């Protein structure tokens, strides 16, 4: 994988382990020559991942909608800054520039990005790996909810299994490197319609 989008919070939260692991994730990308694609902010967990990559000489692409550019603090040391018209265009560009996706702690925006990209995968719109870095058990409740959705018949086990989960950066990247995509949904024809 040459580039990975990281979806995460524009706030730092209050867990020192999450903050330090976000920075370490950026460093790991730089050491492995993986380009970080993210939301372009210098603040929050987003900023920590970018700092880690930049401090170790990595490439960082920031993608931000024009209306957030005035509200968030855009990182000034990015390899490339892309400004979009809206949030939807931001997600599409992040998707296009990435070979995979990692979700680390964040709020509603992170959940939106996670569920949209996993839904795209479920629908056969992409075959890129999606990983959850479950730092300090942050996503335990989300994972339990997803298992409940399988148990109650609202989600197929194969779709849940398509999301790789690990508590360590190295373990997650290893799983993502060995990812085998789901076959295209049977209800799609050759043209994806």
């Amino acid at each position: 994988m040459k580039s990975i989008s990281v979806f995460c919070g524009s706030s730092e939260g209050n867990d020192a382990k999450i903050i330090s692991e976000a920075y370490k994730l950026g460093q790991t990308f730089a050491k492995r020559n993986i380009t970080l694609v993210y939301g372009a902010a210098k603040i929050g967990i987003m900023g920590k991942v970018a700092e880690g990559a930049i401090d170790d000489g990595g490439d960082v692409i920031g993608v931000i909608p024009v209306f957030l550019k005035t509200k968030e603090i855009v990182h000034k040391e990015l390899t490339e800054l892309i400004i979009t018209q809206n949030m939807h265009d931001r997600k599409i560009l992040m998707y296009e520039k990435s070979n995979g996706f990692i979700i680390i702690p964040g709020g509603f925006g992170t959940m939106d990005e996670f569920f949209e990209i996993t839904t795209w995968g479920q629908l056969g719109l992409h075959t890129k790996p999606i990983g959850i870095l479950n730092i300090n058990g942050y996503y335990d409740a989300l994972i339990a909810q997803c298992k409940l959705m399988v148990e109650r018949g609202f989600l197929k086990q194969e779709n849940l299994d398509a999301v790789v989960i690990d508590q360590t950066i190295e373990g997650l990247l290893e799983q993502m490197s060995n990812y085998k995509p789901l076959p295209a949904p049977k209800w799609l024809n050759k043209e994806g319609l």
Side-chain angles (χ1 to χ4, degrees):
M1 287 185 295
K2 300 210 179 290
S3 61
I4 297 175
S5 276
V6 174
F7 301 128
C8 56
S10 59
S11 297
E12 276 191 17
N14 56 18
D15 185 328
K17 174 79 170 170
I18 290 172
I19 295 167
S20 65
E21 285 295 296
Y23 183 85
K24 185 178 168 191
L25 180 62
Q27 287 182 306
T28 303
F29 277 21
K31 287 180 175 107
R32 289 181 170 218
N33 293 317
I34 298 170
T35 298
L36 168 64
V37 181
Y38 86 116
K42 188 172 186 171
I43 58 174
I45 295 301
M46 272 196 225
K48 293 299 178 192
V49 178
E51 276 177 40
I54 291 166
D55 289 352
D56 268 34
D59 288 330
V60 180
I61 299 172
V63 185
I64 192 164
V66 68
F67 79 93
L68 279 181
K69 187 173 182 249
T70 58
K71 295 182 195 254
E72 290 182 349
I73 300 168
V74 174
H75 206 296
K76 302 292 183 201
E77 298 173 47
L78 303 176
T79 309
E80 182 180 358
L81 175 64
I82 302 169
I83 300 168
T84 64
Q85 289 303 307
N86 54 53
M87 293 292 281
H88 185 68
D89 290 346
R90 177 196 219 182
K91 285 186 270 191
I92 289 171
L93 265 170
M94 290 176 78
Y95 159 77
E96 289 173 350
K97 295 208 168 275
S98 302
N99 302 123
F101 310 92
I102 293 178
I103 290 80
I104 64 174
F108 282 156
T110 304
M111 293 295 89
D112 170 61
E113 291 160 333
F114 169 68
F115 282 114
E116 184 158 3
I117 207 67
T118 53
T119 301
W120 289 0
Q122 180 179 319
L123 293 173
L125 300 176
H126 76 82
T127 57
K128 300 174 184 182
I130 302 165
I132 296 176
L133 183 57
N134 191 20
I135 305 167
N136 235 6
Y138 184 82
Y139 284 118
D140 286 352
L142 175 66
I143 295 163
Q145 178 62 44
C146 291
K147 288 178 179 176
L148 180 63
M149 292 189 298
V150 170
E151 182 184 309
R152 300 284 174 93
F154 288 99
L155 179 65
K156 290 182 179 173
Q157 184 66 51
E158 67 184 14
N159 291 317
L160 178 55
D161 291 343
V163 177
V164 297
I165 303 166
D166 207 294
Q167 295 178 350
T168 67
I169 295 166
E170 295 299 328
L172 186 65
L173 290 175
E174 180 69 23
Q175 286 188 66
M176 290 177 74
S177 293
N178 296 320
Y179 176 75
K180 302 280 188 251
L182 289 172
K186 291 180 177 117
W187 51 269
L188 288 178
N189 65 24
K190 286 189 250 178
E191 290 79 36
L193 305 172

